[in-house]
Amino acid sequence: MSVQDHSDNRERHQEGMSTKAKAGIVLIGFLIIAGVLLFTEHRAHVLGLFVWLPLLACPLMHFFMHGGHGHHHGGSRQNDSRGV
């Protein structure tokens, strides 16, 4: 009967971060730096678009929030509580 020694395997996992984790951290860092540089270079364009946000909000609110006005287009008055 042979005894399997896995002590070397445990030491490899506890040494540090894997290559994928290190690459992920580097990628996140590059994306943050790129985002900051893009925002600082194009700040006037981005902030100029904020003026149009209220105008865009009006039709979107009209489209999505008109569900509760009681306009039922069924045409039948079977459940009308006013009595006949």
Side-chain angles (χ1 to χ4, degrees), residues 5-55:
D5 185 22
H6 294 289
S7 62
D8 185 42
N9 192 16
R10 284 189 205 127
E11 290 174 7
R12 258 190 265 143
H13 287 296
Q14 295 176 355
E15 286 178 8
M17 294 173 37
S18 68
T19 306
K20 272 188 173 179
K22 290 177 186 177
I25 291 173
V26 170
L27 177 66
I28 290 171
F30 278 129
L31 290 176
I32 289 172
I33 291 170
V36 168
L37 290 175
L38 278 172
F39 180 75
T40 56
E41 291 295 323
H42 299 284
R43 185 176 353 171
H45 307 295
V46 172
L47 295 179
L49 292 176
F50 286 147
V51 173
W52 299 103
L53 284 178
L55 290 175

Side-chain angles (χ1 to χ4, degrees), residues 48-71:
L49 292 176
F50 286 147
V51 173
W52 299 103
L53 284 178
L55 290 175
L56 287 173
C58 292
L60 289 174
M61 286 175 56
H62 180 78
F63 183 74
F64 288 113
M65 298 180 79
H66 264 283
H69 286 289
H71 299 290

Side-chain angles (χ1 to χ4, degrees), residues 67-83:
H69 286 289
H71 299 290
H72 302 289
H73 300 288
S76 66
R77 293 182 172 239
Q78 293 173 356
N79 294 331
D80 196 358
S81 63
R82 287 182 266 171

